[in-house]
Amino acid sequence: MYFQPAPGKMLIGIRISMAAAWPWWTKKQAGRMGLLCAECGWDLRRSDDESRLPYNILTRPRSWRLVCGECCNDGIDVMD
Ligand SMILES: [Zn+2]
């Protein structure tokens, strides 16, 4: 589950491809599947830090990457 910030609103998205296997993947495998923060490399599979929830942020034109809340100001910049 990830947050999808958009101007004026916050949507919730779900990524389920092979989700059942995620907990057993190595960090390298998770990185290839985009499950690590694109900015700081935080493992977004972890749920023990609520300030680092995953957000789907447009990092470059036409390039969506999951970024943790710490690196994207919890998506507030996008909403504004
Ligand atoms: Zn980050």
Side-chain angles (χ1 to χ4, degrees):
M1 200 272 301
Y2 60 87
F3 295 98
Q4 177 68 70
K9 61 189 171 185
M10 183 70 76
L11 306 171
I12 291 177
I14 296 175
R15 188 180 282 196
I16 57 170
S17 61
M18 297 186 282
W22 289 358
W24 293 280
W25 286 354
T26 65
K27 206 166 180 183
K28 205 170 176 180
Q29 289 173 311
R32 277 201 291 268
M33 292 299 286
L35 298 176
L36 304 182
C37 171
E39 297 288 335
C40 70
W42 174 260
D43 192 337
L44 295 168
R45 294 173 297 173
R46 293 176 59 177
S47 56
D48 55 339
D49 187 343
E50 292 198 353
S51 70
R52 289 181 181 269
L53 295 171
Y55 291 83
N56 194 23
I57 301 292
L58 187 62
T59 51
R60 292 185 300 273
R62 294 166 180 251
S63 175
W64 295 91
R65 294 290 308 275
L66 291 180
V67 176
C68 77
E70 285 279 310
C71 290
C72 70
N73 194 24
D74 291 335
I76 290 169
D77 296 345
V78 177
M79 289 172 70
D80 290 343

